[in-house]
Amino acid sequence: MAKEEAVQEEYRDYYAKFDEDKRLLSQNITRIEFDTTVSVLGPYIASVSHLTEFGAATGRYSLHYAQQGMNVTAVELVPELVEQLNGNAKSQHLDLAVYEANATNVSFIESGTQDVVLILGPLYHIQSQSDRVAVLKEANRILKPNGVVAIAYISRFFVAGLLAKMSCSLVSPEVLSELNESGLVRSSNVDPFFRTGYFAKPSEIEELAIQSGFSVESHIATDGYVRFIGQEVNQLDEQQYQAWLKYHLATCSEPSLLGSSNHGLVIAKKCS
């Protein structure tokens, strides 16, 4: 089996057993990812009708926007997640189009038909530069003129610190150099999320968007630095959490926060 196929199989096996809904809702440090993304996207999608999500997982975002009355198309690669997404839609009595497919090829979606494309997970695990370009090209193809794309990524600078917290054995020239130079962590001492991951530099995501025919509108640190004070943030009651969220939303576009944030989000418009 080719290395790329082996990585993809390990990725699918990992997410087949992963509870994405629980991840986004179980702790304040993960709630802030969803709350920030929805809040920051709000002004860009207030009056749109057609939205597609690449890498929809179990549908946390797709179902949220379907509840708002949008025509939603959800694309997901992992069969088990597609099954969960369909089940979640049925239980919530929501109607949306769900496809099991790779975000590098969504030929079943007509060109120029979508107002918004969300790419809120696929780039975490696409290790091939040509495949990352293909995802952005597909987003551009299906968007209407001036349509909006939201591109999430995981910062390789945050991941370096996370590896140091996980195990001192990962603080080695080999592991850190590979991460810094390629965005990959192929050590056998990490779990499949890291071995199948791609961790980006914030600047390269802006460059990817621009080279794919978009103009960058906004770039935010989705989590800010909450992962460094995770225990304290998770202990906040609801009123305190809302106060922190308000502060975070007022500061998350500060450029100096981008590299230290776990997740980043680039919002861009298709050039007309």
Side-chain angles (χ1 to χ4, degrees):
M1 181 183 296
K3 181 182 292 185
E4 187 172 327
E5 291 176 344
V7 169
Q8 189 169 81
E9 182 174 323
E10 187 173 28
Y11 159 81
R12 290 188 186 190
D13 288 345
Y14 176 81
Y15 276 99
K17 306 178 184 72
F18 190 76
D19 191 338
E20 177 69 2
D21 281 351
K22 183 178 179 181
R23 183 189 77 82
L24 285 171
L25 297 170
S26 61
Q27 305 177 85
N28 286 339
I29 60 170
T30 51
R31 278 180 66 192
I32 204 166
E33 177 189 344
F34 177 82
D35 291 343
T36 301
T37 300
V38 169
S39 178
V40 172
L41 280 174
Y44 295 96
I45 63 176
S47 59
V48 306
S49 60
H50 289 79
L51 178 147
T52 289
E53 181 178 13
F54 294 170
T58 55
R60 185 73 178 96
Y61 290 97
S62 286
L63 297 175
H64 170 80
Y65 290 113
Q67 286 173 344
Q68 296 185 3
M70 296 183 192
N71 294 297
V72 174
T73 300
V75 180
E76 173 52 50
L77 178 65
V78 180
E80 290 81 359
L81 297 183
V82 172
E83 184 178 355
Q84 289 182 57
L85 197 166
N86 281 319
N88 290 341
K90 184 177 180 179
S91 67
Q92 296 178 40
H93 307 289
L94 293 170
D95 185 25
L96 68 163
V98 179
Y99 294 92
E100 181 184 320
N102 194 312
T104 59
N105 181 3
V106 292
S107 56
F108 45 86
I109 303 176
E110 291 185 25
S111 300
T113 59
Q114 302 300 300
D115 298 296
V116 177
V117 174
L118 305 181
I119 308 173
L120 302 179
L123 295 196
Y124 303 170
H125 293 282
I126 297 180
Q127 297 184 339
S128 162
Q129 170 69 8
S130 62
D131 283 347
R132 293 193 293 274
V133 170
V135 171
L136 268 291
K137 285 186 175 180
E138 280 292 78
N140 188 286
R141 179 185 65 79
I142 67 174
L143 279 169
K144 299 174 183 177
N146 296 313
V148 172
V149 65
I151 312 160
Y153 65 91
I154 296 175
S155 166
R156 70 179 61 173
F157 306 118
F158 170 83
V159 169
L162 185 59
L163 293 176
K165 289 186 69 174
M166 287 166 53
S167 172
C168 59
S169 67
L170 296 171
V171 183
S172 70
E174 294 78 18
V175 171
L176 294 178
S177 293
E178 180 181 49
L179 172 62
N180 188 45
E181 293 168 10
S182 70
L184 305 179
V185 181
R186 289 179 286 206
S187 170
S188 60
N189 296 322
V190 296
D191 71 27
F193 177 85
F194 293 95
R195 283 196 302 275
T196 66
Y198 177 73
F199 309 110
K201 295 178 180 179
S203 59
E204 79 175 90
I205 302 302
E206 289 197 20
E207 292 167 5
L208 178 62
I210 292 167
Q211 292 167 3
S212 302
F214 295 95
S215 60
V216 174
E217 296 285 312
S218 179
H219 192 173
I220 67 158
T222 315
D223 324 86
Y225 50 85
V226 297
R227 291 303 181 104
F228 296 104
I229 52 172
Q231 182 176 350
E232 293 77 10
V233 172
N234 280 335
Q235 290 173 348
L236 299 178
D237 62 28
E238 186 60 24
Q239 184 176 3
Q240 292 166 333
Y241 170 76
Q242 292 300 329
W244 182 267
L245 178 62
K246 182 178 180 180
Y247 165 77
H248 168 66
L249 291 173
T251 59
C252 64
S253 60
E254 165 58 42
S256 64
L257 294 175
L258 293 175
S260 60
S261 181
N262 183 358
H263 301 89
L265 184 70
V266 170
I267 300 173
K269 283 188 176 181
K270 178 177 178 177
C271 300
S272 57

